[in-house]
Amino acid sequence: NAGVTQTPKFQVLKTGQSMTLQCAQDMNHEYMSWYRQDPGMGLRLIHYSVGAGITDQGEVPNGYNVSRSTTEDFPLRLLSAAPSQTSVYFCASSYRGQGTYEQYFGPGTRLTVT
Amino acid sequence: KNEVEQSPQNLTAQEGEFITINCSYSVGISALHWLQQHPGGGIVSLFMLSSGKKKHGRLIATINIQEKHSSLHITASHPRDSAVYICAVRFLATASKLTFGTGTRLQVTL
């Protein structure tokens, strides 16, 4: 199993540009999430999905869209990049086992918006 | 409000020292995770706890559900243990979501 994969690893955007961060998992996990990590703050939930076709907003959803057309893929779209979206983005997947959820993280995407 | 607090924020230790990182949370949980993140690296799950104690090599994690508190201990610390350690919990009301602490940055020197 490749686990949770993310592409790209690094990206620089200009303000106003759009792009999609890719996330895929090959473990057949039902739950997938996107987080952003900023200095001095804990990881914050952007969007999450409890299964194909179902998504919901997390703590900081503004400026981001997601879709979940398959179990494997959960792309995060930045519609019009802003400097405030400079961050490290982590995708994660989880499954419910033994009464709670095992969690797996992707390697992260470091995004800079100038 | 569902909150997770970690202490200390930063920790420097000499090789061989015993290290303790603390995590406290505000309301009932279904599970608590300890995560490790090396500089510039991804996030790795070390432990998932809902009660008691778990051990893996030199790492020990404990949780006291009544006191809403968990500790991560590292015995015989080594420079390769230098990383950020993150506590994350699943509150009972939102068990499919994780709430994260801000992390403890550990540096172990020779």
Side-chain angles (χ1 to χ4, degrees), chain A residues 31 35 37 40 42-43 45 48 90 100-103 105, chain B residues 31 33 35 37 43 48 90 95-98 100-102:
Chain A
Y31 299 94
Y35 300 94
Q37 185 179 42
L43 281 88
L45 181 65
Y48 66 101
F90 288 95
T100 187
Y101 299 82
E102 295 280 356
Q103 187 84 11
F105 290 89
Chain B
H33 298 251
L35 311 169
Q37 185 177 27
I43 300 169
M48 182 177 63
R90 298 190 184 277
S96 64
K97 300 181 196 176
L98 280 174
F100 295 83
T102 54

